[in-house]
Amino acid sequence: MITENKTITDAILAQIQKHDRIVLCRHENPDGDAMGSSLALARIIRLTWPDKDVRVVNTGIVPDSLSFLEPEDTCDVSFYEGALVIALDCAVLNRMANKDYARGDFFIKIDHHPNVEPFGDLCWVEPHRGATSEMIADLAATYADVLKMDAEAALELYVGIVTDTGRFQFGTTPETMRICADLLAYGFDTSRMFANLYLEDYEYKLFCAQTTAQIQRTEAGVAWLYITQETQEKYHLTHEQAGNTVLLLNDIKGSMIRIVFIDNGDGTTRVRLRSRFIVINTMAEKYHGGGHAFASGATVHNAAEMQALLHDADKLQREYVLAHNEVK
Ligand SMILES: [Mn+2]
């Protein structure tokens, strides 16, 4: 285990052992890591202690690309009495997809985002990790004499790591690869996994082609797109698909910062920010958001705020270009 937090993980394990009812939750609008880490931890606990009642409880819709994973559970509020609640991959409480998280007896945070909002009776946060799923895989390996794993749990953790690292482009350490090697040894079907995660509908491909033609760039080279409500309706875009348009901007030379504005239809605009080399989460925080150094989210409330954000991004990229000879 590369964690320096063995005292905390010992305490987490003790809490899991102690509680008969456990609720696992994650952030809203789930991605592969939020789903993978929570489903896998639930599975590991059930395999290890079949008598414990473990539920993965969240509200909201699971995206199609993740519907091949195990289904989540439900429970009524009485379930929380005396229960342990564990939040996975959720940096801040207002993004929790389970609004009943505070009803339990004991509350634990497990996450790999910068710890801008420590919460819970126990808080295990390691921002150097590529994914929360990597932390759970490491937990299972470290306590292998106690915790049981199987191929399905390994698949769920692998999904979390593959998706959060952008297929091993970001946040991938030697430890990430060692952990993944151990997960692959369980022998799950990676072809089926990749087909579920990354194949796209024909209609969405057409949307991508037309949207690519609308990419704009600021003076310093920041690439950006604005996705209107009409476009989202015309192409029946899911929340996830609309957000993924930021990927269309990924591979443009000289556009280190990429931004997609997505009209929420309620006067606010969701912003997804990506970057190579330039730290952008401080800028995201200025616009009601935050996140990782090179992948953040924000919200703007009017055209002026959108222009201000673009201006700030342009300035950041300009400063970077001036300080570096090689621009990629
Ligand atoms: Mn994550």
Side-chain angles (χ1 to χ4, degrees), residues 52 86 139 146 227 284 305:
K52 290 191 192 293
I86 305 178
L139 184 80
V146 181
I227 312 294
E305 215 174 10

Side-chain angles (χ1 to χ4, degrees), residues 27 31 33-34 89 111-113 130-132 164 292:
H27 64 73
D31 55 19
D33 190 30
D89 201 42
D111 188 34
H112 73 124
H113 296 90
T132 302
D164 252 31
H292 299 286

Side-chain angles (χ1 to χ4, degrees), residues 53-256:
D53 195 344
V54 186
R55 313 277 180 97
V56 181
V57 182
N58 298 287
T59 56
I61 298 163
V62 169
D64 269 0
S65 62
L66 296 171
S67 59
F68 71 108
L69 299 175
E70 295 180 278
E72 295 188 329
D73 312 295
T74 54
C75 71
D76 56 46
V77 289
S78 65
F79 189 83
Y80 289 84
E81 204 175 309
L84 169 65
V85 179
I86 305 178
L88 293 117
D89 201 42
C90 186
V92 291
L93 287 169
N94 70 10
R95 284 210 68 206
M96 199 80 80
N98 177 338
K99 302 301 177 200
D100 294 318
Y101 62 82
R103 291 179 183 270
D105 166 58
F106 199 90
F107 189 29
I108 296 174
K109 175 184 185 180
I110 300 178
D111 188 34
H112 73 124
H113 296 90
N115 202 9
V116 291
E117 186 184 300
F119 59 76
D121 303 299
L122 276 172
C123 186
W124 177 32
V125 175
E126 297 189 358
H128 64 279
R129 300 284 199 163
T132 302
S133 296
E134 182 184 317
M135 296 169 68
I136 300 304
D138 200 14
L139 184 80
T142 303
Y143 298 91
D145 53 335
V146 181
L147 299 175
K148 292 191 177 132
M149 273 276 287
D150 67 358
E152 187 67 27
L155 162 73
E156 287 160 351
L157 294 171
Y158 197 72
V159 163
I161 298 169
V162 163
T163 52
D164 252 31
T165 61
R167 290 180 255 188
F168 305 110
Q169 284 182 85
F170 323 112
T172 304
T173 64
E175 186 68 8
T176 311
M177 300 313 274
R178 277 189 281 271
I179 284 170
C180 283
D182 290 341
L183 292 175
L184 283 169
Y186 282 90
F188 49 84
D189 184 348
T190 51
S191 306
R192 178 175 152 268
M193 182 201 81
F194 278 109
N196 274 286
L197 289 177
Y198 295 114
L199 290 184
E200 283 157 357
D201 292 337
Y202 177 66
E203 194 189 32
Y204 184 69
K205 270 305 203 202
L206 292 183
F207 157 76
C208 290
Q210 296 186 10
T211 307
T212 302
Q214 292 164 13
I215 295 172
Q216 304 195 54
R217 296 222 291 176
T218 65
E219 215 172 285
V222 173
W224 66 280
L225 272 167
Y226 183 83
I227 312 294
T228 63
Q229 263 298 310
E230 296 72 51
T231 302
Q232 294 172 60
E233 280 160 23
K234 182 181 168 195
Y235 290 97
H236 309 107
L237 297 185
T238 62
H239 186 272
E240 187 199 15
Q241 285 174 326
N244 281 345
T245 49
V246 75
L247 303 176
L248 300 175
L249 309 172
N250 266 358
D251 43 11
I252 304 169
K253 241 184 218 175
S255 294
M256 280 83 83

